[in-house]
Each structure stands twice: as C-alpha cells, then as structure tokens.
Amino acid sequence: MPRAVVVGAGVVGSFHAYFALRRGYEVVHVERELTARGASVRNFGLVWVSGRRVGEELEFALRSRALWEEVADDVPGFGFRANGSLTVARDDAEARVLEEVATRGDAGERGVSLLDASEARDVNPAVRGDLVAALHCANDAAVEPRLVPDALRAALTREPGYRFLPGRHVVEVGDAFAADHTGERHEGDLVLVCPGAATSGFAGWRPADAPLRRVRLQMLETEPFGARVTTSLADGDSLRYYPAFDVPALADLPPPAPVVAERKMQLLLQQRLDGRLTIGDTHDYDEPFPVDVDDEPYRHLLGRAEAILGTPLPPVRRRWAGVYSQSITDGLFHCEQVGTASFVVTGAGGRGMTLAPAIAERVVESTGAFTK
Ligand SMILES: Cc1cc2nc3c(=O)[nH]c(=O)nc-3n(C[C@H](O)[C@H](O)[C@H](O)COP(=O)(O)OP(=O)(O)OC[C@H]3O[C@@H](n4cnc5c(N)ncnc54)[C@H](O)[C@@H]3O)c2cc1C
C-alpha cells in the first residue's frame, strides 16, 4: 500500500488526509500542536459561494460546497447546514450592486436572488433592522470551525490505514520524507505539507520566493442571541471585498466609514449551533502584525450587527485574531513541488474553509502521478 505523509491538521491538511486515505494511501498525519490551533478553528465557518469570482473560482467553490455536504454525511459532527446567506443593502447604491449581481448570467449557478426588505425578513426573521434590499444566496452554507478538524480526524482514526502524530514539529521536508523535531523521519510515497500561515517553520522550502502573503483578522463572539438567525449575514461593506460584486454599480458606492477603510473591514455574522454570534472582520496586511486586538473595529462591527438585527446584542464573550496565508496570484491556492514526491499546499486565503475539500481532492488526484 502506498504511504502518504500529511503535515498540518488544520482543515486543509485534514482533508488531504481524508482524500489520500480514500484514494488508497496509508496515511501518517503529523501536527506540531496537540490539535488544530490555526486559522481553521478561528474562522466563521462560512462555506461562501456568494462572493466568488465568476468562472473557475465559482465552479471550484461549488464543487467544494458539494464535497462539504457529501463528507458531512460520512463524518458526523461538522455542524454542516445549508442555511444560505443574506448580503444586506443599507441604501440604494448598495441595492443597485446587488441587483446587477442578481441579474448577471451566473446568478442561477451561484444561487442568488434579490429580495426586498419584507422578503428578506421572511427568509430570516431575525433581520429586524433597517435594510433596503438583500441578496439571498441559497448555495451558501456553514460549519462549526471549532469542531471540523477534530471531527474529521476522529472519523479517520477509525480507519486502519490512518495514524495521527500530534506534538511533532516538522523541521525539514525533502524528497519523499518529512523529518520532525524529535529526529524521526517520516518516509512517504507522497508528502503533502499543509502548514497554513506557518510557512517559515521548516527547511526544504523557501517561502520568501513564493507568491504568498499573510493576513491577520480580528473576530469576536457574543453570548447566545435570543433568536434563531436562520441565514449567514453580510453587510454592504463586503461588496468591496468579494470579487463577485465587481459590477459597474460598485463604482457608485459612497466611501466607506473611516474605520472600515483603515482596517479593511466588512461585517460577516454567523450564528453558532449554541446560539452565539461569531462576528468579524478586519484585515491587516502589513507585518509585523499588532500584538493586541483593538476595540475600535469591534465597536463598529457590533454597531453594524445591531443595525441589521434591529436589537441590542448580548454581551461579548470572547475576542481573538487569526492569520491566514494568501496567494497573491490569480491562482485559487498555492501548490509547490519541493521534492520528487513532496508538495507544499497553502495560500487559499480568506476562502480556505470554503475550498479545503476541493483543494484536497484536486491535489491528491494531481500529485498521485508523482508518487514514488
Ligand atoms: C479570522 C478568520 C476568518 C476566516 N473565515 C473564513 C470563512 O468563514 N470561510 C472561509 O472559507 N475561510 C475563512 N478563513 C480562511 C480559512 O480559515 C483558512 O484559509 C484555512 O483555515 C487555512 O487552513 P490550513 O489548514 O491551511 O491552515 P491552519 O488552520 O493554520 O492549519 C495549519 C496547521 O499546520 C500546522 N503546522 C504548521 N507548520 C507545521 C510544522 N512545521 N510541523 C507540523 N505542523 C505544522 C499548524 O500547527 C496548523 O495546525 C478565515 C480565516 C481567518 C483567520
């Protein structure tokens, strides 16, 4: 039986382990922490189709969305739900952007339609604040990020061909091997390194030469909200952020609030299965990143969420920051060969949770040809 060594137990590495096992490899899965601690457990859990660029990116996201649903049938405990989303317009300028997106040729494939305020409240009765219109995306979905990597690994652990090695920091990757800090060398017919944003942690690859950057985001979570928020929510500031909204009417949007412009913000809101609200986000592109999380962006995000939900929010329970690795090319992610049968896979950026199953499926299929 061929052996695959997978490094990294975030969502990307865990899905690589899953698809490698399915494709007939014995899998050794190496992680420096005891369990996932990176971007995969710090995100919203949005499986976000609505914002993807028309063409290859949208098709890839739809493939990934289908895989999430398929794997969720196989692996209980993800909290996968096809809850859809509403992107909410607060004024006519934002509504015109949504209208152009809803009438573009890809609207059916994307699963989007334009709703007036009353139709939006029928879809999501928790949206009781001021809105002019909303874009409903039936294809958007959500999972529980704090559960996904462990749930996936728990399912893999029941398979005879899978072995998880936590607490092992890989310090070198070479031709068909990965060596960890204890001195153990993990030989594989295929080596797939999925380090997330920890790109400088091992020898055998020069991340400085790769077209990647790191991005830091601030997030918060409230205590349980008193009502069901039936869809994921985004505000009009997300129109500037996602490539799907690159339509002529975008040029007519008024300038964003100063804090939104400065911290590259948008409101995204996802209710967790226990009722809490995950709210974000900001984007910092310049390193070194701040040590602290700042209050001003949080005040803005909480104000926006209250304006859309039309009611005060429960107290904030916790705040955190996360960092992802992003490809700065037009590619959907970065996959680089670093040895005869060794590859580094990272750089999916702010869509890594959405795309992880499709990335892993594609990488395992395409790198199989290099198997030693
Ligand atoms: C705040 C935030 C919100 C986001 N929201 C969303 C969202 O809603 N939807 C979406 O699609 N995407 C979202 N993203 C992006 C998404 O979370 C990431 O793209 C994705 O989680 C990356 O997964 P990963 O497995 O590559 O990285 P990680 O989750 O960082 O996992 C990498 C793992 O590799 C391990 N590792 C690294 N180096 C080594 C080594 N040398 N040896 C052993 N182990 C090693 C690390 O310990 C880590 O466990 C968000 C990101 C952030 C930060």
mmCIF file of all heavy atoms in Angstrom, residues 7-13 31-33 36-40 42-46 168-170 194-196 198 202 217 219 322-324 349-354, ligand 1:
data_model
loop_
_atom_site.group_PDB
_atom_site.id
_atom_site.type_symbol
_atom_site.label_atom_id
_atom_site.label_comp_id
_atom_site.label_asym_id
_atom_site.label_seq_id
_atom_site.Cartn_x
_atom_site.Cartn_y
_atom_site.Cartn_z
ATOM 1 N N VAL A 7 1.348 16.768 6.543
ATOM 2 C CA VAL A 7 1.790 17.637 7.645
ATOM 3 C C VAL A 7 0.770 18.757 7.800
ATOM 4 O O VAL A 7 0.431 19.441 6.827
ATOM 5 C CB VAL A 7 3.183 18.234 7.353
ATOM 6 C CG1 VAL A 7 3.628 19.157 8.505
ATOM 7 C CG2 VAL A 7 4.199 17.119 7.123
ATOM 8 N N GLY A 8 0.279 18.953 9.047
ATOM 9 C CA GLY A 8 -0.694 20.014 9.326
ATOM 10 C C GLY A 8 -2.079 19.430 9.506
ATOM 11 O O GLY A 8 -2.592 18.756 8.623
ATOM 12 N N ALA A 9 -2.668 19.703 10.682
ATOM 13 C CA ALA A 9 -4.001 19.156 10.985
ATOM 14 C C ALA A 9 -5.061 20.243 11.010
ATOM 15 O O ALA A 9 -6.064 20.129 11.710
ATOM 16 C CB ALA A 9 -3.969 18.393 12.306
ATOM 17 N N GLY A 10 -4.836 21.336 10.241
ATOM 18 C CA GLY A 10 -5.913 22.293 10.004
ATOM 19 C C GLY A 10 -6.892 21.677 9.018
ATOM 20 O O GLY A 10 -6.800 20.480 8.676
ATOM 21 N N VAL A 11 -7.821 22.486 8.535
ATOM 22 C CA VAL A 11 -8.847 21.940 7.648
ATOM 23 C C VAL A 11 -8.237 21.460 6.333
ATOM 24 O O VAL A 11 -8.653 20.435 5.767
ATOM 25 C CB VAL A 11 -9.990 22.973 7.444
ATOM 26 C CG1 VAL A 11 -9.516 24.200 6.681
ATOM 27 C CG2 VAL A 11 -11.168 22.346 6.737
ATOM 28 N N VAL A 12 -7.203 22.154 5.848
ATOM 29 C CA VAL A 12 -6.614 21.775 4.565
ATOM 30 C C VAL A 12 -5.861 20.440 4.706
ATOM 31 O O VAL A 12 -6.081 19.506 3.928
ATOM 32 C CB VAL A 12 -5.695 22.899 4.022
ATOM 33 C CG1 VAL A 12 -4.955 22.446 2.770
ATOM 34 C CG2 VAL A 12 -6.525 24.146 3.714
ATOM 35 N N GLY A 13 -5.002 20.338 5.721
ATOM 36 C CA GLY A 13 -4.271 19.084 5.931
ATOM 37 C C GLY A 13 -5.212 17.925 6.234
ATOM 38 O O GLY A 13 -5.033 16.815 5.721
ATOM 39 N N GLU A 31 1.337 16.722 13.164
ATOM 40 C CA GLU A 31 0.908 18.074 13.563
ATOM 41 C C GLU A 31 1.776 18.538 14.737
ATOM 42 O O GLU A 31 1.994 17.782 15.676
ATOM 43 C CB GLU A 31 -0.583 18.042 13.945
ATOM 44 C CG GLU A 31 -1.105 19.234 14.744
ATOM 45 C CD GLU A 31 -0.963 20.585 14.028
ATOM 46 O OE1 GLU A 31 -1.319 20.682 12.846
ATOM 47 O OE2 GLU A 31 -0.492 21.543 14.674
ATOM 48 N N ARG A 32 2.209 19.787 14.680
ATOM 49 C CA ARG A 32 3.107 20.276 15.749
ATOM 50 C C ARG A 32 2.356 20.534 17.063
ATOM 51 O O ARG A 32 2.914 20.434 18.147
ATOM 52 C CB ARG A 32 3.831 21.539 15.294
ATOM 53 C CG ARG A 32 2.903 22.688 15.049
ATOM 54 C CD ARG A 32 3.622 23.931 14.557
ATOM 55 N NE ARG A 32 2.671 25.013 14.401
ATOM 56 C CZ ARG A 32 2.966 26.244 14.051
ATOM 57 N NH1 ARG A 32 4.224 26.566 13.807
ATOM 58 N NH2 ARG A 32 2.042 27.154 13.939
ATOM 59 N N GLU A 33 1.069 20.905 16.976
ATOM 60 C CA GLU A 33 0.270 21.120 18.187
ATOM 61 C C GLU A 33 -0.411 19.802 18.556
ATOM 62 O O GLU A 33 -0.281 18.802 17.854
ATOM 63 C CB GLU A 33 -0.800 22.185 17.935
ATOM 64 C CG GLU A 33 -0.274 23.502 17.402
ATOM 65 C CD GLU A 33 0.451 24.338 18.447
ATOM 66 O OE1 GLU A 33 0.360 24.027 19.648
ATOM 67 O OE2 GLU A 33 1.130 25.297 18.062
ATOM 68 N N ALA A 36 -5.671 21.077 16.010
ATOM 69 C CA ALA A 36 -5.615 22.299 15.197
ATOM 70 C C ALA A 36 -5.752 23.544 16.074
ATOM 71 O O ALA A 36 -6.609 23.600 16.959
ATOM 72 C CB ALA A 36 -6.730 22.273 14.162
ATOM 73 N N ARG A 37 -4.893 24.537 15.802
ATOM 74 C CA ARG A 37 -4.929 25.788 16.564
ATOM 75 C C ARG A 37 -4.844 27.016 15.652
ATOM 76 O O ARG A 37 -4.828 28.143 16.109
ATOM 77 C CB ARG A 37 -3.752 25.836 17.560
ATOM 78 C CG ARG A 37 -3.996 25.072 18.839
ATOM 79 C CD ARG A 37 -5.053 25.793 19.662
ATOM 80 N NE ARG A 37 -5.479 25.069 20.824
ATOM 81 C CZ ARG A 37 -6.456 24.175 20.836
ATOM 82 N NH1 ARG A 37 -7.058 23.847 19.726
ATOM 83 N NH2 ARG A 37 -6.823 23.600 21.958
ATOM 84 N N GLY A 38 -4.775 26.798 14.343
ATOM 85 C CA GLY A 38 -4.568 27.895 13.397
ATOM 86 C C GLY A 38 -5.872 28.481 12.881
ATOM 87 O O GLY A 38 -6.917 28.430 13.545
ATOM 88 N N ALA A 39 -5.818 29.018 11.655
ATOM 89 C CA ALA A 39 -6.966 29.713 11.069
ATOM 90 C C ALA A 39 -8.213 28.831 11.017
ATOM 91 O O ALA A 39 -9.341 29.327 11.114
ATOM 92 C CB ALA A 39 -6.600 30.170 9.655
ATOM 93 N N SER A 40 -8.002 27.521 10.893
ATOM 94 C CA SER A 40 -9.146 26.613 10.721
ATOM 95 C C SER A 40 -10.096 26.597 11.906
ATOM 96 O O SER A 40 -11.265 26.236 11.752
ATOM 97 C CB SER A 40 -8.643 25.191 10.468
ATOM 98 O OG SER A 40 -7.835 25.173 9.313
ATOM 99 N N ARG A 42 -10.370 29.393 13.890
ATOM 100 C CA ARG A 42 -10.558 30.806 14.245
ATOM 101 C C ARG A 42 -11.498 31.500 13.274
ATOM 102 O O ARG A 42 -11.664 32.719 13.334
ATOM 103 C CB ARG A 42 -9.203 31.522 14.225
ATOM 104 C CG ARG A 42 -8.288 31.057 15.335
ATOM 105 C CD ARG A 42 -6.849 31.450 15.069
ATOM 106 N NE ARG A 42 -5.992 30.797 16.027
ATOM 107 C CZ ARG A 42 -5.427 31.391 17.077
ATOM 108 N NH1 ARG A 42 -5.606 32.675 17.285
ATOM 109 N NH2 ARG A 42 -4.681 30.709 17.911
ATOM 110 N N ASN A 43 -12.059 30.766 12.329
ATOM 111 C CA ASN A 43 -12.836 31.435 11.284
ATOM 112 C C ASN A 43 -14.338 31.412 11.564
ATOM 113 O O ASN A 43 -14.784 30.943 12.604
ATOM 114 C CB ASN A 43 -12.471 30.851 9.908
ATOM 115 C CG ASN A 43 -12.848 29.401 9.764
ATOM 116 O OD1 ASN A 43 -13.950 29.000 10.101
ATOM 117 N ND2 ASN A 43 -11.919 28.590 9.271
ATOM 118 N N PHE A 44 -15.111 31.928 10.604
ATOM 119 C CA PHE A 44 -16.576 31.982 10.750
ATOM 120 C C PHE A 44 -17.241 30.633 10.481
ATOM 121 O O PHE A 44 -18.402 30.445 10.812
ATOM 122 C CB PHE A 44 -17.176 32.955 9.719
ATOM 123 C CG PHE A 44 -16.797 34.385 9.888
ATOM 124 C CD1 PHE A 44 -15.721 34.920 9.193
ATOM 125 C CD2 PHE A 44 -17.533 35.232 10.710
ATOM 126 C CE1 PHE A 44 -15.379 36.248 9.321
ATOM 127 C CE2 PHE A 44 -17.197 36.562 10.837
ATOM 128 C CZ PHE A 44 -16.118 37.075 10.148
ATOM 129 N N GLY A 45 -16.540 29.781 9.739
ATOM 130 C CA GLY A 45 -17.188 28.556 9.276
ATOM 131 C C GLY A 45 -18.123 28.802 8.108
ATOM 132 O O GLY A 45 -19.065 28.044 7.889
ATOM 133 N N LEU A 46 -17.844 29.842 7.335
ATOM 134 C CA LEU A 46 -18.689 30.129 6.173
ATOM 135 C C LEU A 46 -18.199 29.336 4.971
ATOM 136 O O LEU A 46 -17.020 29.420 4.606
ATOM 137 C CB LEU A 46 -18.640 31.619 5.831
ATOM 138 C CG LEU A 46 -19.208 32.562 6.909
ATOM 139 C CD1 LEU A 46 -18.920 34.010 6.534
ATOM 140 C CD2 LEU A 46 -20.702 32.330 7.075
ATOM 141 N N ARG A 168 4.404 16.974 17.007
ATOM 142 C CA ARG A 168 5.632 16.775 16.222
ATOM 143 C C ARG A 168 5.780 17.951 15.256
ATOM 144 O O ARG A 168 4.968 18.110 14.348
ATOM 145 C CB ARG A 168 5.546 15.489 15.390
ATOM 146 C CG ARG A 168 5.256 14.244 16.174
ATOM 147 C CD ARG A 168 6.456 13.804 16.997
ATOM 148 N NE ARG A 168 6.226 12.455 17.495
ATOM 149 C CZ ARG A 168 6.789 11.373 16.975
ATOM 150 N NH1 ARG A 168 7.635 11.460 15.972
ATOM 151 N NH2 ARG A 168 6.524 10.186 17.465
ATOM 152 N N HIS A 169 6.806 18.751 15.487
ATOM 153 C CA HIS A 169 7.067 19.901 14.612
ATOM 154 C C HIS A 169 7.964 19.436 13.462
ATOM 155 O O HIS A 169 9.105 19.037 13.697
ATOM 156 C CB HIS A 169 7.741 21.021 15.404
ATOM 157 C CG HIS A 169 7.821 22.302 14.639
ATOM 158 N ND1 HIS A 169 7.351 23.492 15.144
ATOM 159 C CD2 HIS A 169 8.285 22.585 13.402
ATOM 160 C CE1 HIS A 169 7.538 24.438 14.238
ATOM 161 N NE2 HIS A 169 8.100 23.912 13.165
ATOM 162 N N VAL A 170 7.459 19.490 12.260
ATOM 163 C CA VAL A 170 8.272 19.114 11.100
ATOM 164 C C VAL A 170 9.303 20.210 10.851
ATOM 165 O O VAL A 170 8.956 21.399 10.730
ATOM 166 C CB VAL A 170 7.384 18.862 9.864
ATOM 167 C CG1 VAL A 170 8.210 18.822 8.589
ATOM 168 C CG2 VAL A 170 6.628 17.549 10.045
ATOM 169 N N CYS A 194 0.841 20.973 4.619
ATOM 170 C CA CYS A 194 -0.243 21.969 4.642
ATOM 171 C C CYS A 194 -0.074 22.823 5.894
ATOM 172 O O CYS A 194 -0.791 22.634 6.888
ATOM 173 C CB CYS A 194 -1.592 21.260 4.639
ATOM 174 S SG CYS A 194 -1.769 20.037 3.317
ATOM 175 N N PRO A 195 0.881 23.778 5.882
ATOM 176 C CA PRO A 195 1.281 24.467 7.119
ATOM 177 C C PRO A 195 0.460 25.717 7.433
ATOM 178 O O PRO A 195 0.755 26.404 8.409
ATOM 179 C CB PRO A 195 2.730 24.869 6.807
ATOM 180 C CG PRO A 195 2.708 25.153 5.326
ATOM 181 C CD PRO A 195 1.697 24.203 4.729
ATOM 182 N N GLY A 196 -0.558 26.034 6.613
ATOM 183 C CA GLY A 196 -1.303 27.271 6.839
ATOM 184 C C GLY A 196 -0.385 28.462 6.720
ATOM 185 O O GLY A 196 0.429 28.553 5.782
ATOM 186 N N ALA A 198 2.005 29.192 8.827
ATOM 187 C CA ALA A 198 3.314 28.933 9.456
ATOM 188 C C ALA A 198 4.308 28.511 8.379
ATOM 189 O O ALA A 198 4.898 27.427 8.433
ATOM 190 C CB ALA A 198 3.176 27.852 10.519
ATOM 191 N N PHE A 202 10.028 25.250 8.504
ATOM 192 C CA PHE A 202 10.807 24.047 8.188
ATOM 193 C C PHE A 202 11.761 24.311 7.024
ATOM 194 O O PHE A 202 11.524 25.196 6.193
ATOM 195 C CB PHE A 202 9.863 22.878 7.856
ATOM 196 C CG PHE A 202 8.865 23.206 6.783
ATOM 197 C CD1 PHE A 202 9.121 22.927 5.453
ATOM 198 C CD2 PHE A 202 7.656 23.816 7.117
ATOM 199 C CE1 PHE A 202 8.201 23.245 4.466
ATOM 200 C CE2 PHE A 202 6.725 24.144 6.136
ATOM 201 C CZ PHE A 202 7.002 23.867 4.809
ATOM 202 N N LEU A 217 -6.719 38.869 10.919
ATOM 203 C CA LEU A 217 -8.114 39.291 11.075
ATOM 204 C C LEU A 217 -8.489 39.320 12.557
ATOM 205 O O LEU A 217 -7.999 38.495 13.325
ATOM 206 C CB LEU A 217 -9.058 38.288 10.386
ATOM 207 C CG LEU A 217 -9.124 38.251 8.862
ATOM 208 C CD1 LEU A 217 -7.871 37.652 8.258
ATOM 209 C CD2 LEU A 217 -10.328 37.452 8.411
ATOM 210 N N MET A 219 -11.717 39.013 15.292
ATOM 211 C CA MET A 219 -13.039 38.391 15.393
ATOM 212 C C MET A 219 -13.572 38.524 16.822
ATOM 213 O O MET A 219 -12.810 38.757 17.752
ATOM 214 C CB MET A 219 -12.917 36.898 15.084
ATOM 215 C CG MET A 219 -12.250 36.575 13.785
ATOM 216 S SD MET A 219 -13.346 36.750 12.394
ATOM 217 C CE MET A 219 -14.295 35.247 12.567
ATOM 218 N N GLY A 322 -6.795 35.934 14.040
ATOM 219 C CA GLY A 322 -6.317 34.773 13.285
ATOM 220 C C GLY A 322 -5.519 35.253 12.082
ATOM 221 O O GLY A 322 -5.703 36.384 11.630
ATOM 222 N N VAL A 323 -4.658 34.383 11.591
ATOM 223 C CA VAL A 323 -3.816 34.738 10.442
ATOM 224 C C VAL A 323 -3.951 33.637 9.389
ATOM 225 O O VAL A 323 -3.874 32.452 9.719
ATOM 226 C CB VAL A 323 -2.337 34.869 10.868
ATOM 227 C CG1 VAL A 323 -1.445 35.158 9.660
ATOM 228 C CG2 VAL A 323 -2.174 35.970 11.915
ATOM 229 N N TYR A 324 -4.164 34.062 8.149
ATOM 230 C CA TYR A 324 -4.140 33.070 7.066
ATOM 231 C C TYR A 324 -3.072 33.427 6.047
ATOM 232 O O TYR A 324 -2.573 34.549 6.003
ATOM 233 C CB TYR A 324 -5.512 32.886 6.414
ATOM 234 C CG TYR A 324 -6.170 34.098 5.771
ATOM 235 C CD1 TYR A 324 -5.643 34.718 4.645
ATOM 236 C CD2 TYR A 324 -7.382 34.582 6.276
ATOM 237 C CE1 TYR A 324 -6.277 35.799 4.047
ATOM 238 C CE2 TYR A 324 -8.031 35.662 5.684
ATOM 239 C CZ TYR A 324 -7.469 36.267 4.567
ATOM 240 O OH TYR A 324 -8.088 37.333 3.978
ATOM 241 N N GLY A 349 -6.150 31.660 1.374
ATOM 242 C CA GLY A 349 -6.606 32.958 1.875
ATOM 243 C C GLY A 349 -7.909 32.866 2.640
ATOM 244 O O GLY A 349 -8.185 31.882 3.330
ATOM 245 N N GLY A 350 -8.736 33.906 2.491
ATOM 246 C CA GLY A 350 -9.989 34.003 3.246
ATOM 247 C C GLY A 350 -11.070 33.061 2.748
ATOM 248 O O GLY A 350 -12.196 33.115 3.224
ATOM 249 N N ARG A 351 -10.729 32.194 1.798
ATOM 250 C CA ARG A 351 -11.716 31.229 1.298
ATOM 251 C C ARG A 351 -11.259 29.796 1.566
ATOM 252 O O ARG A 351 -11.789 28.853 0.972
ATOM 253 C CB ARG A 351 -11.938 31.471 -0.203
ATOM 254 C CG ARG A 351 -10.665 31.380 -0.983
ATOM 255 C CD ARG A 351 -10.659 32.010 -2.349
ATOM 256 N NE ARG A 351 -9.262 31.992 -2.780
ATOM 257 C CZ ARG A 351 -8.798 32.466 -3.894
ATOM 258 N NH1 ARG A 351 -9.617 33.061 -4.734
ATOM 259 N NH2 ARG A 351 -7.525 32.393 -4.201
ATOM 260 N N GLY A 352 -10.286 29.633 2.482
ATOM 261 C CA GLY A 352 -9.694 28.304 2.705
ATOM 262 C C GLY A 352 -10.646 27.311 3.324
ATOM 263 O O GLY A 352 -10.552 26.104 3.066
ATOM 264 N N MET A 353 -11.546 27.788 4.168
ATOM 265 C CA MET A 353 -12.529 26.867 4.764
ATOM 266 C C MET A 353 -13.489 26.409 3.660
ATOM 267 O O MET A 353 -13.787 25.222 3.539
ATOM 268 C CB MET A 353 -13.279 27.610 5.866
ATOM 269 C CG MET A 353 -14.016 26.729 6.819
ATOM 270 S SD MET A 353 -12.807 25.902 7.886
ATOM 271 C CE MET A 353 -13.923 25.139 9.058
ATOM 272 N N THR A 354 -13.922 27.343 2.846
ATOM 273 C CA THR A 354 -14.828 27.022 1.740
ATOM 274 C C THR A 354 -14.203 25.999 0.802
ATOM 275 O O THR A 354 -14.832 25.026 0.412
ATOM 276 C CB THR A 354 -15.139 28.315 0.940
ATOM 277 O OG1 THR A 354 -15.686 29.274 1.838
ATOM 278 C CG2 THR A 354 -16.105 28.040 -0.190
HETATM 279 C C1 LIG B 1 -10.395 35.028 11.300
HETATM 280 C C2 LIG B 1 -10.523 34.234 10.050
HETATM 281 C C3 LIG B 1 -11.784 34.057 9.475
HETATM 282 C C4 LIG B 1 -11.907 33.277 8.320
HETATM 283 N N1 LIG B 1 -13.165 32.984 7.843
HETATM 284 C C5 LIG B 1 -13.298 32.095 6.824
HETATM 285 C C6 LIG B 1 -14.581 31.647 6.431
HETATM 286 O O1 LIG B 1 -15.589 31.920 7.084
HETATM 287 N N2 LIG B 1 -14.681 30.882 5.313
HETATM 288 C C7 LIG B 1 -13.568 30.507 4.601
HETATM 289 O O2 LIG B 1 -13.723 29.864 3.564
HETATM 290 N N3 LIG B 1 -12.322 30.805 5.044
HETATM 291 C C8 LIG B 1 -12.165 31.579 6.128
HETATM 292 N N4 LIG B 1 -10.922 31.914 6.578
HETATM 293 C C9 LIG B 1 -9.748 31.295 5.931
HETATM 294 C C10 LIG B 1 -9.527 29.865 6.447
HETATM 295 O O3 LIG B 1 -9.719 29.798 7.836
HETATM 296 C C11 LIG B 1 -8.109 29.421 6.108
HETATM 297 O O4 LIG B 1 -7.832 29.621 4.736
HETATM 298 C C12 LIG B 1 -7.946 27.922 6.403
HETATM 299 O O5 LIG B 1 -8.383 27.621 7.710
HETATM 300 C C13 LIG B 1 -6.491 27.504 6.234
HETATM 301 O O6 LIG B 1 -6.400 26.160 6.666
HETATM 302 P P1 LIG B 1 -4.999 25.471 6.819
HETATM 303 O O7 LIG B 1 -5.256 24.055 7.236
HETATM 304 O O8 LIG B 1 -4.202 25.707 5.573
HETATM 305 O O9 LIG B 1 -4.238 26.302 7.937
HETATM 306 P P2 LIG B 1 -4.269 26.177 9.543
HETATM 307 O O10 LIG B 1 -5.634 26.066 10.064
HETATM 308 O O11 LIG B 1 -3.430 27.294 10.047
HETATM 309 O O12 LIG B 1 -3.561 24.796 9.814
HETATM 310 C C14 LIG B 1 -2.181 24.580 9.590
HETATM 311 C C15 LIG B 1 -1.723 23.530 10.579
HETATM 312 O O13 LIG B 1 -0.406 23.147 10.256
HETATM 313 C C16 LIG B 1 0.329 23.018 11.458
HETATM 314 N N5 LIG B 1 1.747 23.207 11.125
HETATM 315 C C17 LIG B 1 2.315 24.304 10.554
HETATM 316 N N6 LIG B 1 3.633 24.125 10.393
HETATM 317 C C18 LIG B 1 3.910 22.889 10.875
HETATM 318 C C19 LIG B 1 5.123 22.130 11.011
HETATM 319 N N7 LIG B 1 6.293 22.636 10.596
HETATM 320 N N8 LIG B 1 5.049 20.901 11.549
HETATM 321 C C20 LIG B 1 3.861 20.371 11.960
HETATM 322 N N9 LIG B 1 2.689 21.058 11.877
HETATM 323 C C21 LIG B 1 2.721 22.294 11.341
HETATM 324 C C22 LIG B 1 -0.210 24.124 12.335
HETATM 325 O O14 LIG B 1 0.043 23.893 13.721
HETATM 326 C C23 LIG B 1 -1.690 24.078 11.985
HETATM 327 O O15 LIG B 1 -2.428 23.204 12.842
HETATM 328 C C24 LIG B 1 -10.753 32.703 7.719
HETATM 329 C C25 LIG B 1 -9.503 32.896 8.296
HETATM 330 C C26 LIG B 1 -9.384 33.639 9.464
HETATM 331 C C27 LIG B 1 -8.033 33.817 10.079
#
